[in-house]
Amino acid sequence: MSGFVINDTNRSYHAYGTIERYQRPEERRNMLTQQLSNRRLLVDFLALMFGLGAWIGVNGIYVQLPLIVHTAPEGWSLPAHMVMLVQIANLGPILYTLYIRYSAWVCDKYIIYVLLAAASCATIALSFLYGYTSNVFGNNHSTALLSLMFITALVGCTSSVLFMPYMRNYREIYLVSYLVGEGLSGFVPSAVALIQGVGHNPRCINVTKSGSDHLEFIVAPSDPRFSSQIFFVFVGTLLCLSFLSFLGLNVLPVAIGERVKLPSSMETLPTDTTAPPSYKTNSGWKMPKDVYYYLLVMMAMVCFLGNGTLPSIQSYSCLPYGSVAYHLTVTLAAIAGPLAMSLGFFIKTPAVNLLSIFMAVVLVLSGFICYLAAKSPHPPLQNSWLGELMVVVLWIIVCGLIGFIKMGITTLYRPDPGRGLYYTGVATQIGSLIGAITTFVLVNHAKVFKSYSPCDNLTAN
């Protein structure tokens, strides 16, 4: 039987998810109770809050776009600029990789302290400066917004090769808590934005000039319950809590007690570039070489879609069905990912074959989402409740499956005493970068996707 085997006191898991000994339902319930009791909930909370800080700064800015674009000089091209800016922030992982390769002194936790502190300060500063513009090469640009977002994007991009591998220092059960927190970094801002009232349908105001036979309408967004300034202060506060949570992981005795104690033959940093290729280790963890690379390619593909392509075209695929459908999609799809990742509390090693099936489903459904975006501003089933339901459910399924695949691949690499988690982070960033560049070209240069305005139908009439 090929693959690696992870043993615990109750059962053995094969790399492909086969349970080697049959268990009765009461045995499974007893094992689940034992797993849930054999953990420290405070450490779970600290790991979750630590993961929350990875992308909440960037996601917080994205969910404010329906308010910001109406005053930003870039208009609706601002999201495409932001996606590219996030990918330029991949400079962070590159510099970190060079640092750990050529520096004799490497201490990951101090770098994480600096990154989380910088993101906290940048987000709070953003609450006062997001409307500031300046002239660059003859055109006005949202320089403060984009510059401060770049700082938060550095944190998010670097988290893939630094934050997640750092959790290898703790017991495996806390890696899932981190991943759930990272998923919540998209849901929490979206939920607050809905409370804020960002998702209300806009109004169309008649601005037809007197004596003109041509009707002309402009979109007037609804007033939110509270301003973007208050929203960014809230996000900055959560980033401060993430900083304090990471501090707690390193100084609280209850968290220190949950650290793993590796044998001397395995005492290497999670990102140690001198560690041997993981599939060749003789420490008891084995993975076939072809499966090792296959999973990395799958991680790159799922991030190509989930982090690069789909977020860039979400407005094109959803807005033609209405602003309410769009923001329901943003919020419910954002919670689908963390919910799918939380299955890692109960599924220790997902089957590779199962992940492959889910990946095939993601590819098919993502292709249909791209089709809907390409048909904007008049996609199928527009102006019907069936179309609204279809697009919301479609996005929920895709985001849930993407979250599960990410969790599954990360869990499979967690026991790797070499550089498995580091390489999954690299695959994440490479896939996201290629996806963002591809979509940026299609949106801004090929003009494949056309924006939708709710006032177009009124003008046509």
Side-chain angles (χ1 to χ4, degrees), residues 8-185:
D8 59 25
T9 57
N10 293 287
R11 59 179 172 178
S12 299
Y13 294 86
H14 188 265
Y16 298 94
T18 304
I19 301 177
E20 295 186 349
R21 185 171 65 84
Y22 172 77
Q23 289 183 310
R24 294 187 299 272
E26 57 270 19
E27 287 180 318
R28 290 195 293 269
R29 286 194 296 268
N30 292 336
M31 190 193 73
L32 177 59
T33 302
Q34 180 181 356
Q35 287 179 347
L36 294 177
S37 61
N38 188 26
R39 63 194 308 136
R40 298 290 183 267
L41 293 181
L42 177 60
V43 181
D44 275 311
F45 175 76
L46 295 176
L48 186 146
M49 289 301 299
F50 174 41
L52 185 72
W55 285 99
I56 193 170
V58 174
N59 292 329
I61 297 174
Y62 270 112
V63 299
Q64 288 295 289
L65 280 177
L67 296 179
I68 296 176
V69 294
H70 295 291
T71 57
E74 294 87 356
W76 273 108
S77 67
L78 182 62
H81 287 81
M82 290 167 58
V83 170
M84 279 304 300
L85 192 67
V86 170
Q87 301 313 315
I88 294 174
N90 280 300
L91 180 65
I94 294 173
L95 293 177
Y96 174 74
T97 302
L98 295 175
Y99 170 70
I100 63 174
R101 184 174 183 85
Y102 297 107
S103 175
W105 183 85
V106 178
C107 193
D108 290 347
K109 67 178 181 180
Y110 294 119
I111 301 176
I112 296 175
Y113 283 140
V114 172
L115 288 174
L116 288 177
S120 303
C121 295
T123 306
I124 293 176
L126 186 64
S127 63
F128 301 98
L129 302 175
Y130 70 90
Y132 178 81
T133 62
S134 59
N135 191 282
V136 179
F137 300 116
N139 296 313
N140 275 338
H141 288 282
S142 306
T143 48
L145 173 67
L146 295 175
S147 300
L148 293 172
M149 181 184 176
F150 178 74
I151 297 176
T152 63
L154 276 177
V155 178
C157 293
T158 311
S159 68
S160 299
V161 297
L162 180 58
F163 290 20
M164 185 171 63
Y166 189 84
M167 290 305 298
R168 184 176 170 270
N169 294 314
Y170 298 87
R171 293 172 55 206
E172 181 178 352
I173 54 178
Y174 299 114
L175 176 62
V176 177
S177 301
Y178 169 86
L179 292 173
V180 171
E182 187 175 279
L184 288 174
S185 66

Side-chain angles (χ1 to χ4, degrees), residues 104-419:
W105 183 85
V106 178
C107 193
D108 290 347
K109 67 178 181 180
Y110 294 119
I111 301 176
I112 296 175
Y113 283 140
V114 172
L115 288 174
L116 288 177
S120 303
C121 295
T123 306
I124 293 176
L126 186 64
S127 63
F128 301 98
L129 302 175
Y130 70 90
Y132 178 81
T133 62
S134 59
N135 191 282
V136 179
F137 300 116
N139 296 313
N140 275 338
H141 288 282
S142 306
T143 48
L145 173 67
L146 295 175
S147 300
L148 293 172
M149 181 184 176
F150 178 74
I151 297 176
T152 63
L154 276 177
V155 178
C157 293
T158 311
S159 68
S160 299
V161 297
L162 180 58
F163 290 20
M164 185 171 63
Y166 189 84
M167 290 305 298
R168 184 176 170 270
N169 294 314
Y170 298 87
R171 293 172 55 206
E172 181 178 352
I173 54 178
Y174 299 114
L175 176 62
V176 177
S177 301
Y178 169 86
L179 292 173
V180 171
E182 187 175 279
L184 288 174
S185 66
F187 168 71
V188 172
S190 299
V192 175
L194 278 184
I195 297 173
Q196 184 186 16
V198 173
H200 290 172
N201 283 320
R203 295 173 289 111
C204 293
I205 300 178
N206 191 339
V207 293
T208 304
K209 297 179 180 179
S210 59
S212 175
D213 295 332
H214 177 69
L215 292 176
E216 186 176 356
F217 294 86
I218 62 172
V219 178
S222 57
D223 294 329
R225 293 185 177 90
F226 52 88
S227 66
S228 296
Q229 181 181 34
I230 296 176
F231 178 87
F232 288 132
V233 169
F234 169 76
V235 174
T237 302
L238 289 180
L239 276 165
C240 291
L241 291 176
S242 179
F243 175 88
L244 294 176
S245 297
F246 181 69
L247 180 65
L249 284 174
N250 288 283
V251 301
L252 292 180
V254 65
I256 295 175
E258 295 299 293
R259 283 175 170 263
V260 295
K261 298 176 177 60
L262 300 176
S264 58
S265 61
M266 295 169 58
E267 288 179 348
T268 58
L269 289 173
T271 52
D272 185 2
T273 56
T274 63
S278 303
Y279 52 85
K280 294 182 181 179
T281 57
N282 55 8
S283 58
W285 184 90
K286 296 180 181 179
M287 180 182 286
K289 185 176 180 179
D290 55 340
V291 176
Y292 188 88
Y293 288 121
Y294 171 70
L295 290 176
L296 291 179
V297 172
M298 186 187 298
M299 177 65 88
M301 289 176 61
V302 79
C303 291
F304 172 92
L305 295 171
N307 297 344
T309 302
L310 296 182
S312 301
I313 64 172
Q314 189 173 43
S315 60
Y316 294 99
S317 66
C318 298
L319 271 177
Y321 296 97
S323 295
V324 173
Y326 173 47
H327 288 281
L328 280 176
T329 298
V330 171
T331 305
L332 297 179
I335 196 176
L339 282 178
M341 289 179 179
S342 65
L343 294 176
F345 290 120
F346 314 106
I347 304 174
K348 295 198 68 174
T349 51
V352 174
N353 290 337
L354 179 63
L355 296 178
S356 300
I357 293 173
F358 284 167
M359 187 68 226
V361 175
V362 167
L363 290 175
V364 173
L365 297 183
S366 298
F368 186 64
I369 289 176
C370 292
Y371 167 76
L372 294 180
K375 298 297 290 184
S376 176
H378 303 294
L381 300 177
Q382 190 179 20
N383 301 320
S384 70
W385 68 268
L386 187 60
E388 295 179 17
L389 178 64
M390 175 191 67
V391 73
V392 172
V393 172
L394 190 63
W395 273 93
I396 290 174
I397 294 175
V398 169
C399 291
L401 291 178
I402 287 176
F404 184 86
I405 293 172
K406 287 181 179 179
M407 178 277 299
I409 295 175
T410 305
T411 302
L412 287 172
Y413 281 102
R414 168 59 183 78
D416 177 13
R419 293 174 284 169

